[in-house]
Amino acid sequence: MRYFLSALLVLTVFAGVTAVGTLHQEQLEPSIFLYITSFFERDTAAHNAIAAILLNYRMYDTMFEALILLTAIIGMKQFLPTSKELRDADE
Amino acid sequence: MIETGTILLMGVFAALAIHSTLLRRAVIYLAVFSLLGAFLYVLYAAPELAIAEAVIGSGLVTLLYLAALKRNKVYTIAVLAEGHRYRMTDAYVNYLERSRALREIRHFFELREMEPQVVFSEATLDEALRGDSFDLVIVEEQDEIVLYGSRDTFALEELELMFRIHGTEAGVRVVRYDPEEEG
Amino acid sequence: MPMNSSDLAEQSIVLQVVIGFLYPFMLLLGFYVILNGHYTPGGGFQGGSVLATLLVARYVVSPREDINSEELHRYQRIFLALILVAPAVVLFPGFLHSYPRIRPLYLTVMDLLIGVQVGFGVGVAVLRFAFFEGTGKTWRL
């Protein structure tokens, strides 16, 4: 029963997200796309639009991405016992 | 055309990775799967994602799986010479190597992704059971083969079941012991 | 089953030879991908992943605990602080607009910082799991 309910939950969430994603399609103005693809070289001196976006236009995104990695490592250090602790627990 | 072929190949390799019996092969299939995914990203004109997929999918993850596979690998089996006046002569080793029971045990652990490492030893049973150095101790007595394994030895029940189903020329008996008590 | 690291080091000659041959080239590739991030596809994250792969490959070949993950983690935090500080000093006040000459320098430095940070971070995370082996007794099935 528990497995069934959890599977049902997962499937419901999946279907809901997919439905929202497909039904509610926002028509974006192409202005941002056109602006970035035509002016990124002048603005940032990068020859690669993705580098320009990551390091200039959307810098906050990159910063918080780096923070996520730090958070993950801190969590791992906090909750995984080291091999030394395991050895002590064994004895 | 190339896209469709790549996607179909990815499906094939995913199925192979799931259905292959050897874990090491499954890891390699997964690496190929990721490489095909990277190629697909190149076809969709997303080289950044292709590089990330190639590096992480077929480099980092493959190495991580290989490192994990190294963990549970060597399974040490000791064969004692108690039934042969405590002498491990070359002829006796040859005879043991050719015996069907030992071959079956080896095959059993190879199927389970472990590397059976057989040690022919002249130690007595007490010495062999003491300590933690052997996972399985085999002694050939007059008319039967006795397997000594501690209670937490891997897959001892399955091994016993396999011998009961297949049967060998000699009888096989499995003895479980408690390492703390015995040592 | 008792296993020490010397047991592991003696295994798999193929892996040792291949990784030993590829090691310098992978190092070169990693720094190439990082430093050319603003000219060609690639950049900090991808190059950093190559560097993390190097750390893991090193562990697979010779699994000794000589990589100090505490040290790596400290460097990772330092680089993360630099990543947070550099745009706050250079990008957000608008220096890149007033001095266009430093734009390529800024891109290269940021790519390098992100690359090393990601490499050390993912390396620490993976090695943390790799060294998480216990004594063998705990993991016997």
Side-chain angles (χ1 to χ4, degrees), chain B residues 83-99:
Chain B
H84 201 252
R85 298 187 305 281
Y86 300 102
R87 280 280 166 270
M88 199 46 97
T89 56
D90 286 349
Y92 191 52
V93 169
N94 273 334
Y95 159 74
L96 285 174
E97 283 278 11
R98 264 183 279 120
S99 74

Side-chain angles (χ1 to χ4, degrees), chain B residues 24 47-49 51-52 55-56 59-60 63-64 66-67 70-76 114-115 132-135 150 152-155 180, chain C residues 1-3 8 11 15 19 33 37 40-42 45-46 49-50 52-53 56-57 59-61 63 122 126 130 132-133 137 139-141:
Chain B
R24 196 161 293 236
E48 298 256 339
L49 284 180
I51 292 179
V55 169
I56 294 175
L60 199 59
L63 279 175
L64 187 59
L66 284 180
K70 274 186 152 187
R71 279 284 149 267
N72 206 355
K73 209 178 147 200
V74 182
Y75 195 90
T76 319
M114 306 175 98
E115 194 173 286
D132 216 7
S133 42
F134 301 123
D135 299 297
S150 69
D152 48 356
T153 299
F154 175 80
E180 276 77 31
Chain C
M1 60 203 81
M3 281 197 299
L8 290 175
Q11 292 166 11
L15 219 58
I19 287 178
V33 169
T40 55
F45 183 71
Q46 287 88 350
S49 306
V50 176
T53 310
V56 183
Y59 169 77
V60 168
V61 169
V122 176
V126 171
F132 179 64
E133 53 187 306
K137 215 186 228 173
W139 291 96
R140 185 180 284 178
L141 298 173

Side-chain angles (χ1 to χ4, degrees), chain B residues 8-83:
Chain B
L8 285 179
L9 258 182
M10 278 176 79
V12 168
F13 274 101
L16 278 176
I18 292 172
H19 284 289
S20 75
T21 48
L22 290 174
L23 288 178
R24 196 161 293 236
R25 237 173 254 173
V27 169
I28 301 301
Y29 287 142
L30 265 187
V32 178
F33 174 81
S34 293
L35 212 57
L36 288 172
F39 180 60
L40 205 61
Y41 279 129
V42 173
L43 287 185
Y44 290 152
E48 298 256 339
L49 284 180
I51 292 179
E53 172 77 16
V55 169
I56 294 175
S58 38
L60 199 59
V61 171
T62 307
L63 279 175
L64 187 59
Y65 280 139
L66 284 180
L69 272 185
K70 274 186 152 187
R71 279 284 149 267
N72 206 355
K73 209 178 147 200
V74 182
Y75 195 90
T76 319
I77 301 168
V79 182
L80 301 186
E82 280 215 337

